[in-house]
Structure formats: C-alpha cells, structure tokens
C-alpha cells in the first residue's frame, strides 16, 4: 500500500491559481460569516459609504474595540463628508483622540474636502475615482467599493493575507509587504458573481480577525480547516524574514502622542514650555515635535507657540 503523500508547501511566488481552490472555500467561509459575523456599526445599512470609509481609515493598525467609541462620536459630529470638510483639519486631529497614527485624521479630512468639491458630497462609487481621492490607497479604495457598494474587488488587508497564506499557499505568515503574487492569488480567488465576491471579501477578513489569528489560531473553529494547506502540512514554522514587532514605549511615536495629547486638550495656542514638560529627553522631544510640524499635524506660531492646524 502506498503511503499518503505529504502536502507540498509552496512559496508565495509559487502560489497555486485560485480557480482550483476558490469554489471550495467560498461557501464554507461565507456560511461561517453569516453565522458568526460581529454586529459592527459600519456593517449596518445606515452607515452608508461614508461610514464605511471612516471605519476603514480608523481600523488601519488599530483594533476594533479602540475604534468603536471614536467612530460613533465622529459620525455623530460629522455624518457626511461635507460636515467634516467645513472644519479645520486640526479638529479632525483633535477628534481622532488616542487612536494612533494621527496622519490618518488629516488624510480623512483631505478626502472629505475632495469628496465635497469633486463629487457633490457623496462618496464616489467608481473605484478609480475612489483611488484618486487624497489619502486613499489600493486597499481602502477596494474596501469601500466592496463593502459600501457591493462591487467585485480583491480586498487585501493583513487578516485576509494571513488566511490566504495559510489556506492556499501553506505558509504560516504572508510576506511583510504585499506582493504581486498575493494580488494575483486574491484576484483568482474572487467569486465571479459581484454580490458573492463582496460577501467573500468581508467573510475572509472576518475569518482572519476572529479565527485565523496571528497567534493562537482557532483551527478547531475554522470552516476550512480540512482544506488548509498549512494545517495539512503540519503547521510548519515561519521561515521568512523576522516578523516586525510594534514597539511603542520610549519611541518617537510615544513622544509624538504625548505632545499631541497636550495640543488636543488645549483650545488656544500652547507655549513651548508646556510641551517641554511631556518628555524628559530634549533631543528626542525636539525631533518628535519637528516631525509633527513636518507632517502637518502641528502648526508653529510666532513667539514659540504651537497649535493644531487650521488649514
């Protein structure tokens, strides 16, 4: 009797075409999503395309539990792009709170201004027009087109990339940066039907967020565990470049956050002396403040004063 052949692992550049796998993955993953999807406000019909866009900006590198309260406050204050566009960009930075990576707030404000000026205040439905908005990259344009308008696009965030790497390619983690091979695989895995494709995009993302997680993956709860190339190969350890950690304590990011916290709380320009109190090391503090000014997040004024940007 011939011994069963051990599943062969493939590198990301040798990923099999999606046509051989997609149809067997779509139904179980979408069925799982129908039963287990979280009830999130940006998934509700009343969120609209603007609500979806706001969520996509906020969720980049930020967990859902931190985003939820800020998202709800944001939409209550600025229910349409034109409402945000009327405000100074500094108000977007202030409302961003402690979500981190505050340049996202400036980019979202810039997108709101462009939507108001170019599209009459409505988030465009056309993928190319979405991609042309300031602050909108490949991922966000595809996500808004898919989740808000039900279109057929490959939506590749970290969670989706991890699901595809394991289920199809047979490796524990995807590359640090999205590759052309991953994009080809994602397009090949897309269902032909537009409505199902949009559902697949959301379902595969949720699977990566709740089950096929970076650590302590829940294979026993996975609807495609029996087909997963990585599990069938015995879950081999990651062999690629080291995974990037997200250190925070003691970094310029932490100092920038402390400086911005002072400016967010103040409704008048802040003197340099007040900012000097937030961090003990003067060289790093000055570097962080200079970076905030260079990024357009802080506006220097005569007399050693600083404020959030007005325009």
């Amino acid at each position: 009797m011939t011994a069963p052949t051990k599943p062969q692992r493939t590198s990301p550049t040798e990923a099999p075409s999606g046509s051989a796998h997609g149809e067997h993955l779509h139904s179980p993953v979408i069925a799982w999503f129908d039963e287990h999807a979280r009830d999130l406000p940006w998934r509700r019909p009343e969120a609209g395309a603007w609500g979806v866009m706001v969520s996509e900006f906020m969720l980049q590198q930020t967990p859902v539990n931190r985003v939820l309260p800020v998202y709800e406050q944001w939409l209550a204050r600025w229910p349409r792009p034109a409402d945000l566009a009327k405000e100074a960009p500094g108000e977007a930075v202030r409302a961003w709170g402690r979500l981190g990576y505050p340049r996202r707030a400036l980019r979202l404000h810039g997108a709101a201004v462009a939507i108001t000026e170019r599209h009459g205040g409505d988030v465009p439905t056309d993928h190319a027009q979405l991609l042309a908005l300031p602050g909108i990259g490949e991922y966000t344009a595809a996500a808004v087109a898919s989740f808000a308008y039900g279109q057929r696009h490959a939506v590749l965030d970290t969670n989706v990339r991890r699901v595809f790497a394991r289920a199809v390619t047979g490796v524990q983690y995807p590359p640090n940066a999205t590759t052309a091979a991953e994009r080809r695989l994602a397009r090949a895995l897309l269902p032909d039907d537009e409505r199902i494709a949009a559902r697949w995009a959301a379902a595969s993302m949720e699977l990566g967020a709740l089950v096929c997680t970076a650590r302590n993956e829940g294979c026993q709860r996975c609807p495609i565990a029996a087909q997963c190339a990585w599990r069938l190969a015995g879950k081999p350890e990651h062999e690629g470049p080291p995974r990037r950690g997200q250190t925070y304590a003691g970094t310029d990011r932490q100092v920038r956050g402390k400086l911005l916290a002072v400016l967010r709380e103040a409704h008048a320009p802040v003197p340099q002396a007040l900012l000097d109190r937030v961090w003990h090391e003067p060289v790093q503090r000055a570097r962080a403040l200079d970076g905030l000014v260079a990024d357009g997040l802080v506006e220097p004024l005569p007399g050693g004063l600083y404020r959030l940007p007005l325009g």
Side-chain angles (χ1 to χ4, degrees):
M1 182 175 178
T2 305
T5 303
K6 185 177 180 180
Q8 296 296 310
R9 295 166 59 201
T10 59
S11 73
T13 57
E14 299 170 340
S17 67
S19 58
H21 297 265
E23 292 181 4
H24 301 294
L25 298 176
H26 300 153
S27 294
V29 172
I30 291 173
W32 171 87
F33 182 66
D34 289 342
E35 184 174 351
H36 297 284
R38 290 169 291 181
D39 178 20
L40 299 173
W42 45 85
R43 288 179 176 161
R44 299 169 192 161
E46 61 268 25
W50 174 238
V52 171
M53 179 176 284
V54 170
S55 76
E56 289 300 334
F57 272 81
M58 291 185 173
L59 287 165
Q60 293 166 23
Q61 304 183 71
T62 308
V64 166
N65 63 331
R66 288 182 57 201
V67 165
L68 280 169
V70 181
Y71 172 88
E72 290 169 353
Q73 292 163 13
W74 190 286
L75 267 295
R77 181 175 178 182
W78 299 310
R80 288 181 51 79
D83 300 316
L84 176 58
K86 293 174 187 174
E87 299 269 14
E91 286 305 302
V93 176
R94 194 188 311 278
W96 199 256
R98 302 186 66 83
L99 284 182
Y101 302 100
R103 276 178 290 182
R104 293 179 293 170
L106 288 183
R107 290 169 183 156
L108 184 51
H109 181 273
V113 171
I115 290 167
T116 303
E117 293 176 348
R118 302 177 196 170
H119 303 288
D122 294 321
V123 177
T125 61
D126 182 74
H127 178 266
Q129 291 180 332
L130 286 166
L131 200 55
L133 294 173
I136 301 285
E138 174 189 358
Y139 165 77
T140 305
V144 173
S146 179
F147 302 150
Y149 295 123
Q151 296 176 13
R152 183 180 182 271
H153 293 282
V155 184
L156 271 177
D157 81 334
T158 302
N159 290 313
V160 176
R161 294 175 61 224
R162 187 170 55 251
V163 169
F164 291 175
R166 291 175 180 173
V168 180
T169 312
V171 296
Q172 185 177 18
Y173 298 119
N176 284 333
T178 307
T179 65
E182 288 181 283
R183 293 186 179 95
R184 286 195 299 270
L185 176 60
R187 288 193 296 267
L189 286 170
L190 270 177
D192 292 330
D193 181 271
E194 192 169 56
R195 183 186 62 81
I196 297 174
R199 197 71 177 160
W200 161 251
S204 54
M205 187 176 294
E206 189 81 333
L207 186 66
L210 299 184
V211 176
C212 194
T213 50
R215 297 180 183 85
N216 303 315
E217 63 278 352
C219 296
Q220 71 282 0
R221 297 181 287 116
C222 180
I224 54 172
Q227 307 170 53
C228 176
W230 182 58
R231 191 189 70 84
L232 292 172
K235 293 187 177 181
E237 292 291 325
H238 177 65
E239 294 177 354
R243 305 291 295 166
R244 290 194 297 250
Q246 289 197 344
T247 56
Y248 184 72
T251 63
D252 284 6
R253 273 188 60 218
Q254 184 183 22
V255 185
R256 285 163 61 103
K258 287 180 175 293
L259 292 167
L260 274 181
V262 173
L263 292 160
R264 280 198 309 269
E265 293 298 319
H267 290 274
V270 171
Q272 176 80 54
L274 189 59
L275 295 176
D276 287 346
R277 298 177 192 170
V278 308
W279 196 253
H280 60 282
E281 209 289 301
V283 175
Q284 187 180 26
R285 186 179 64 235
R287 183 172 66 242
L289 183 57
D290 288 345
L292 289 170
V293 171
D295 289 341
L297 290 161
V298 172
E299 208 171 272
L301 301 173
L305 299 174
Y306 295 87
R307 69 183 178 195
L308 296 177
L310 291 183

